[in-house]
Amino acid sequence: MVDGFAYGMAAILVIAIILPFMQVITVSMSPASVVNATGFHLFPTKFDFSGYKKIATDNNFWHSYLNTILRAVIGTSSGVLITIMTAYPLSKVNLPYRKGLMLFVVFTMYFSGGMIPKYLLIKNLHLTNNFLVYILPCLITGFALIITRNFFMSIPGELEESAKIDGATPWRVLFGIYLPLSKPVVATISLWYCVHHWNSWMDNMLYVTKSNLYVLQYVLQTILTNGQTADMETMTDVIIHTETMKMAALVLSLLPIVCTYPFLQKYFVKGMLVGSVKG
């Protein structure tokens, strides 16, 4: 009975995810006349890739795409590195003030200064209209740090002791022993950081006004909401987006994450389980 209910809920969840995704793909490949006439439909009756051809001429879209790729690569790599370097000492039971430091990390997960104090901080640090505003404020997250720290605690301490007897430094222990054994948790937090950076647009709206620093999701949000974007080169021309162009832009924005996830999936569950059960 319980298994049947679980499978039923899972089936409903899968359908709720797949149907909108199929609708987006169908609209992006259909002519505007069919979209306006039939409305919701799961499979294209006619194929027309003019939406993709037109979105290819939107310089603002592709420049923001490049900005998002750079943000995702730099933000993910730096976030994973800082998380690993912070989690390693916190995994040691003999670290002074370890419990207090962990309480501070947990505190940041539930409480923040709010939007206005954060904006004032960003402004005083001269990060407005600066590419670093996408990287530094979200360089590390408390949840990723706790998961990584717990994973490190599950690694046998005898490995580190034997390495130190052979003369290994803490840096050598971390990057030569712990890191190779931590592929599951590294893949897990890498996916978290990558998805966060790829989907984020609020910081663009709050802290960036220069169009050459716009990220993909903010441009996509303006396309879906307003149906138009300003051409970046002329800064005067306006590109009008039809429904097919909107859906084509949405499909193109999903491709990198959809292509990346299968390579990290085999590590994801293991990294989550091992990193969440250790106290």
Side-chain angles (χ1 to χ4, degrees):
M1 185 67 179
V2 176
D3 290 343
F5 177 78
Y7 282 120
M9 293 301 296
I12 293 174
L13 182 62
V14 169
I15 293 173
I17 294 173
I18 291 179
L19 289 183
F21 189 69
M22 292 178 62
Q23 168 70 357
V24 168
I25 296 177
T26 298
V27 172
S28 70
M29 297 189 300
S30 300
S33 57
V34 173
V35 174
N36 296 332
T38 59
F40 180 83
H41 57 292
L42 296 179
F43 303 99
T45 56
K46 294 182 180 180
F47 288 92
D48 182 9
F49 295 94
S50 60
Y52 290 95
K53 294 178 181 179
K54 292 178 181 179
I55 202 67
T57 63
D58 190 343
N59 295 326
N60 195 21
F61 177 83
W62 292 110
H63 190 87
S64 65
Y65 211 117
L66 177 60
N67 286 339
T68 300
I69 292 175
L70 291 175
R71 172 180 182 171
V73 172
I74 298 173
T76 300
S77 56
S78 58
V80 170
L81 178 62
I82 297 299
T83 300
I84 290 173
M85 293 174 61
T86 307
Y88 175 67
L90 289 174
S91 67
K92 305 305 173 186
V93 294
N94 58 349
L95 178 71
Y97 309 110
R98 176 170 170 267
K99 290 185 178 180
L101 292 172
M102 288 306 304
L103 287 175
F104 179 77
V105 172
V106 173
F107 182 86
T108 62
M109 295 172 58
Y110 296 99
F111 302 96
S112 65
M115 183 180 296
I116 295 177
K118 184 177 181 180
Y119 177 83
L120 294 176
L121 176 63
I122 296 295
K123 184 178 180 181
N124 291 333
L125 291 175
H126 304 289
L127 291 177
T128 54
N129 287 320
N130 189 326
F131 187 81
L132 291 177
V133 76
Y134 298 139
I135 309 298
L136 295 182
C138 51
L139 189 60
I140 187 172
T141 63
F143 188 68
L145 176 60
I146 292 174
I147 292 293
T148 308
R149 170 251 192 187
N150 291 349
F151 190 95
F152 285 166
M153 291 178 66
S154 67
I155 297 177
E158 291 78 6
L159 294 175
E160 181 174 357
E161 293 177 2
S162 61
K164 288 183 176 179
I165 292 175
D166 293 335
T169 62
W171 291 104
R172 176 62 178 172
V173 172
L174 174 59
F175 292 102
I177 298 177
Y178 275 65
L179 194 57
L181 296 174
S182 304
K183 290 181 180 179
V185 75
V186 170
T188 300
I189 64 174
S190 296
L191 184 61
W192 288 345
Y193 281 122
C194 184
V195 171
H196 166 77
H197 284 290
W198 192 266
N199 289 336
S200 183
W201 62 274
M202 182 66 73
D203 45 9
N204 187 163
M205 184 181 71
L206 294 176
Y207 312 125
V208 176
T209 57
K210 293 183 178 179
S211 59
N212 63 325
L213 292 176
Y214 284 175
V215 293
L216 176 61
Q217 300 303 329
Y218 179 72
V219 172
L220 185 61
Q221 187 265 347
T222 60
I223 290 174
L224 297 177
T225 303
N226 303 325
Q228 61 187 36
T229 54
D231 188 278
M232 185 170 292
E233 294 183 355
T234 63
M235 295 306 297
T236 56
D237 297 335
V238 173
I239 300 176
I240 306 299
H241 296 267
T242 63
E243 288 299 318
T244 56
M245 292 177 65
K246 292 179 182 180
M247 295 303 106
L250 187 57
V251 171
L252 291 174
S253 69
L254 292 173
L255 285 179
I257 296 298
V258 172
C259 294
T260 302
Y261 182 75
F263 296 100
L264 303 178
Q265 183 181 11
K266 62 180 180 179
Y267 300 111
F268 189 78
V269 175
K270 183 179 179 181
M272 279 291 294
L273 290 178
V274 178
S276 60
V277 298
K278 193 75 174 179

